[in-house]
């Protein structure tokens, strides 16, 4: 009877353990007999700022030189993009090639980030990178349906003579251009007289005076645009992530760029590739290679990161360059067993996995 009771209790306990190893969603939890953690690897984030320019030619462009002395006024519309700024930064994530299991008393002292990266021993975890970048390729510069709404201060028609029976006669394009050029001349004269204080009546001073002169400038700019055209600009920002392996990288396409389309994903072959070159600094890596990589029984490892030179190339043109600390370009070393007896508090850099500090527990 006693033997049957023991077998019954064993079966019940086994069933309870199996039930506890399942989450609500049915995922089975595998027993590890230790704490599984990862070391971080370094990713490169390329932040790109690009400017879009949409140009509309002026309706009076053919008269720009004759009436205003402005040569080579554009005769067609176009769209033009340019890269105005590039910034390079690093971020970290769990390295799937550097996953370890710690056992024994050391396992009870490990603190991990929410991504499962080793953050410290016998110390509180430090939050890792929480921000992530999102690039959208849906943006466009908003422009009015008709960029030149104000073509003249005067009517576009005039009353005909007796031969036309006083019917309204539409002015020619040249006549409209002449009136617009005359308006520009009047605006310039008024602005000059305002700045020279050449009016008989005292002009307002202070903020009112600045506003008046500013409005004259805006009017002149609008009317000159009738001859030389008008440009609408907008700035867009993009971010592209790249995670290198353990060796140097050459010619990795980060994104593509076209002067008539702007910044494009690397899968869009209509643009020219902008590539990343990363050169691993071998002098530091060779010095780290002399370290002993054999771990102790606790199974706690950390990174000794390496260095890299990073270059961003647009064809043959270098558009950005920097140096950065890259975790996977270095080596992995075991934490000494003497530091895992509970008398030390150890913190690691969340981006590189390198030791940040080793302090006595107070």
């Amino acid at each position: 009877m006693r033997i049957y009771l023991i077998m019954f209790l064993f079966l019940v306990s086994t069933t309870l353990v199996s039930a506890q190893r399942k989450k609500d969603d049915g995922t089975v939890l595998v027993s590890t007999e230790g704490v599984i953690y990862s070391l971080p690897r370094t990713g490169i984030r390329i932040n790109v700022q690009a400017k879009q320019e949409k140009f509309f030619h002026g309706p009076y462009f053919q008269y720009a030189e004759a009436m205003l002395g402005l040569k080579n006024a554009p005769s067609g519309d176009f769209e033009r993009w340019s890269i105005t700024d590039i910034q390079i930064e690093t971020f970290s994530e769990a390295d799937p090639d550097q996953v370890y299991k710690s056992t024994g008393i050391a396992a009870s002292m490990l603190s991990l980030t929410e991504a499962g990266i080793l953050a410290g021993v016998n110390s509180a975890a430090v939050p890792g990178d929480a921000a992530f970048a999102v690039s959208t390729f849906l943006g466009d510069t908003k422009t009015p349906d008709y960029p030149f709404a104000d073509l003249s201060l005067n009517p576009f028609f005039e009353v005909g003579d007796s031969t036309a029976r006083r019917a309204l006669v539409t002015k020619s394009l040249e006549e409209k251009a002449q009136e617009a050029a005359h308006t520009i001349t009047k605006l310039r004269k008024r602005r000059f007289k305002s700045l020279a204080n050449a009016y008989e009546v005292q002009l307002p001073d202070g903020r009112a005076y600045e506003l008046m002169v500013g409005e004259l400038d805006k009017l002149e700019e609008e009317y000159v645009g009738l001859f030389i055209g008008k440009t609408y600009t907008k700035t867009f920002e993009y971010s592209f992530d790249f995670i290198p392996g353990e060796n140097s990288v050459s010619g990795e396409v980060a994104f593509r760029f076209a002067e008539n389309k702007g910044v494009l994903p690397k899968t869009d072959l209509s643009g020219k590739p902008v590539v990343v070159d990363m050169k691993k600094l071998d002098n530091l890596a060779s010095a780290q290679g002399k370290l002993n990589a054999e771990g102790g029984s606790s199974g706690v490892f950390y990174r000794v990161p390496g260095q890299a030179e990073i270059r961003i190339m647009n064809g043959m043109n270098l558009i950005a360059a920097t140096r950065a600390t890259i975790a996977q370009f270095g080596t992995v070393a075991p934490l000494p067993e003497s530091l895992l007896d509970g008398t030390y508090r150890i913190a690691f850099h969340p981006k590189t996995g390198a030791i940040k500090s080793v302090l006595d527990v107070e």
Side-chain angles (χ1 to χ4, degrees), residues 20-303:
Q20 291 173 356
R21 289 180 179 178
K22 290 187 177 181
K23 293 183 179 179
D24 294 338
D25 58 2
T27 303
V28 177
L29 300 177
V30 180
S31 176
T32 61
E33 297 181 354
V35 175
I36 293 179
Y37 65 92
S38 301
L39 297 181
R41 65 178 180 181
T42 305
I44 304 300
R45 179 164 294 153
I46 304 170
N47 298 315
V48 183
Q49 186 180 85
K51 182 175 69 173
Q52 181 192 36
E53 296 178 297
K54 283 189 173 182
F55 176 81
F56 299 89
H57 74 282
Y60 307 146
F61 72 92
Q62 64 266 51
Y63 305 107
E65 183 175 1
M67 298 183 182
L68 295 179
L70 301 174
K71 298 182 179 181
N72 302 320
S75 59
D77 302 340
F78 61 85
E79 179 179 340
R80 179 171 56 203
W81 286 78
S82 60
I83 296 176
T84 57
D85 186 42
I86 284 188
Q87 297 293 328
I88 302 173
E89 61 181 6
T90 59
F91 65 94
S92 65
E93 67 177 25
D95 191 341
D97 295 328
Q98 296 294 333
V99 179
Y100 299 93
K101 180 175 68 174
S102 177
T103 59
I105 188 174
S108 65
M109 295 188 295
L110 299 186
S111 56
L112 311 179
T113 67
E114 61 181 11
I117 299 174
L118 181 62
V121 177
N122 208 17
S123 64
V126 178
D129 292 341
F132 58 93
V134 177
S135 294
T136 174
F137 300 92
L138 302 177
D140 195 9
T141 300
K142 292 183 178 181
T143 56
D145 294 334
Y146 191 68
F148 305 98
D150 186 3
L151 297 178
S152 176
L153 292 176
N154 304 298
F156 292 153
F157 58 88
E158 57 186 358
V159 179
D161 54 19
S162 57
T163 58
R165 297 182 179 181
R166 301 295 178 178
L168 297 179
V169 179
T170 303
K171 295 178 182 179
S172 66
L173 185 65
E174 183 177 0
E175 289 175 328
K176 297 176 184 177
Q178 286 177 342
E179 291 178 348
H182 181 61
T183 300
I184 293 173
T185 302
K186 289 193 298 183
L187 288 172
R188 289 174 176 175
K189 288 181 178 180
R190 291 177 182 177
R191 184 181 58 184
F192 172 78
K193 293 180 69 175
S194 299
L195 294 173
N197 199 14
Y199 286 103
E200 295 181 358
V201 180
Q202 185 68 28
L203 294 174
D205 57 1
R207 181 62 178 165
Y209 179 78
E210 294 179 3
L211 289 173
M212 182 185 65
V213 175
E215 289 301 319
L216 289 174
D217 290 340
K218 290 181 181 179
L219 280 174
E220 181 183 346
E221 182 179 356
E222 287 291 326
Y223 275 87
V224 171
L226 296 173
F227 295 86
I228 64 174
K230 186 179 295 187
T231 302
Y232 295 87
T233 63
K234 186 176 180 180
T235 299
F236 298 86
E237 295 182 351
Y238 307 87
S239 292
F240 301 93
D241 291 349
F242 166 65
I243 301 175
E246 297 181 354
N247 299 307
S248 298
V249 178
S250 179
E252 177 70 23
V253 178
F255 61 95
R256 293 179 181 269
F257 179 77
E259 291 187 353
N260 61 335
K261 291 185 176 181
V263 177
L264 305 169
K266 62 182 180 181
T267 54
D268 191 336
L269 301 182
S270 62
K272 294 182 179 180
V274 177
V275 302
V276 182
D277 291 336
M278 295 183 63
K279 181 181 179 181
K280 182 178 179 179
L281 300 183
D282 294 330
N283 54 348
L284 183 58
S286 60
Q288 294 173 356
K290 301 176 183 179
L291 299 174
N292 179 18
E294 294 182 2
S297 60
S298 63
V300 180
F301 293 84
Y302 67 98
R303 280 198 183 273

Side-chain angles (χ1 to χ4, degrees), residues 109-111 118-126 300 302 335-349 354-361:
M109 295 188 295
L110 299 186
S111 56
L118 181 62
V121 177
N122 208 17
S123 64
V126 178
V300 180
Y302 67 98
L335 200 65
E337 295 292 324
S338 59
L339 299 178
L340 299 172
D341 58 0
T343 60
Y344 296 96
R345 185 169 63 250
I346 306 171
F348 300 92
H349 289 283
I355 293 178
K356 182 178 182 180
S357 62
V358 179
L359 303 173
D360 292 330
V361 176

